[in-house]
Amino acid sequence: MTPRRTLLVAGLAAAAMAIPNGAQAQAADGASAVDAMPMPQVTIYHLEGRRSERIVWLMEELGLPYELEYERGSLAGSMAKVRALGHEMPMVPTVVIGDQILVESGAIIQTILARYAPGKLTPPLESDDYAAHNMWMHYAEGSLAARLFSDYRAWRTTPPTVRSRFVDSEAVVQFSENYLEDHPWFGGKEFSSADIMMFFPLNVATGLNLVDAEKFPNVAEWKAKIEARPAYQRMLAAARPDGMIGSLPPVEQRPPSER
């Protein structure tokens, strides 16, 4: 398969949302203004259907230009591109911003927003939503994805008969479900980068059969809103043109629900 190297620039509708280099960005409540730094070239090293989709999606939401590096239909070929960088931690996403090589999707998102799109996709610092937004930004990987993949590995090896006495997959998803009962988005009143972070692990929860999707209607409604977003659709067209590549097999048995 011929390696793919594509320069992608979001459409005019999304570009209208972008913050010009050096312009002042207003916070969501119209309060404090912060200067956006001039944006260097951004190159996203990507695997189809993996966490690197978050960065592509972010750039599409912001209407900012980026270069996408992956080999279409080949996870091994895409990883070879990452390893060719010579970085000591070859993982996805790896993003090159100017002369810096960064890993960890949450940190990459926060860096891009703080430097090049201040005031975008983040509640104002003084708002009631700010702390909750930050919590979900970190919960996505620190608690949710960590618990999901821990259970996945264990349940694939030894099919479970009882749920953990502590916190398991159903509990971490239930916390998300409960929050969405009273909030339309994980950032509070508006769509934010916390929603970008949370989408991947909540897809994993149902896609790998770790939880019963029917028991989480608020999550299902939120996911439908996400999937209808034009920027999300543009991300899929750019980053997953042939659908999911190399899907993990779902668990065949999960412990009975305690709900």
Side-chain angles (χ1 to χ4, degrees), residues 8 18 29 36 45 52 59 68-69 75 92 95 142 165 170 173-174 184 188 197 218:
L8 299 169
D29 64 349
Y45 286 80
S52 47
M59 300 300 276
L68 188 59
E69 281 281 3
L75 298 180
V92 170
V95 175
R165 295 179 180 178
E170 191 167 83
V173 176
Q174 185 64 54
M197 285 295 295
N218 296 326

Side-chain angles (χ1 to χ4, degrees), residues 6-146:
T6 309
L7 181 65
L8 299 169
V9 181
L12 293 177
M17 299 168 55
I19 300 171
N21 290 344
Q24 285 196 326
Q26 290 291 331
D29 64 349
S32 56
V34 180
D35 283 345
M37 294 173 59
M39 193 182 71
Q41 178 173 309
V42 174
T43 303
I44 304 167
Y45 286 80
H46 170 58
L47 261 66
E48 290 151 286
R50 273 56 179 184
R51 289 170 173 87
S52 47
E53 287 187 351
R54 288 168 168 163
I55 316 304
V56 181
W57 181 10
L58 173 75
M59 300 300 276
E60 291 289 349
E61 290 282 356
L62 295 172
L64 295 176
Y66 60 93
E67 191 168 301
L68 188 59
E69 281 281 3
Y70 73 107
E71 185 168 331
R72 183 170 174 174
S74 173
L75 298 180
S78 296
M79 277 307 302
K81 287 177 171 286
V82 178
R83 293 190 180 95
L85 285 172
H87 190 254
E88 64 178 314
M89 185 53 65
M91 59 189 292
V92 170
T94 292
V95 175
V96 181
I97 303 178
D99 59 359
Q100 286 189 302
I101 298 177
L102 302 177
V103 297
E104 292 295 341
S105 55
I108 294 165
I109 287 173
Q110 289 184 306
T111 297
I112 291 172
L113 289 176
R115 285 181 171 176
Y116 313 117
K120 294 288 187 178
L121 299 182
T122 305
L125 186 65
E126 62 274 21
S127 75
D128 292 339
D129 292 332
Y130 181 79
H133 166 270
N134 278 2
M135 180 189 73
W136 292 113
M137 283 287 294
H138 293 277
Y139 182 82
E141 291 294 329
S143 296
L144 182 54

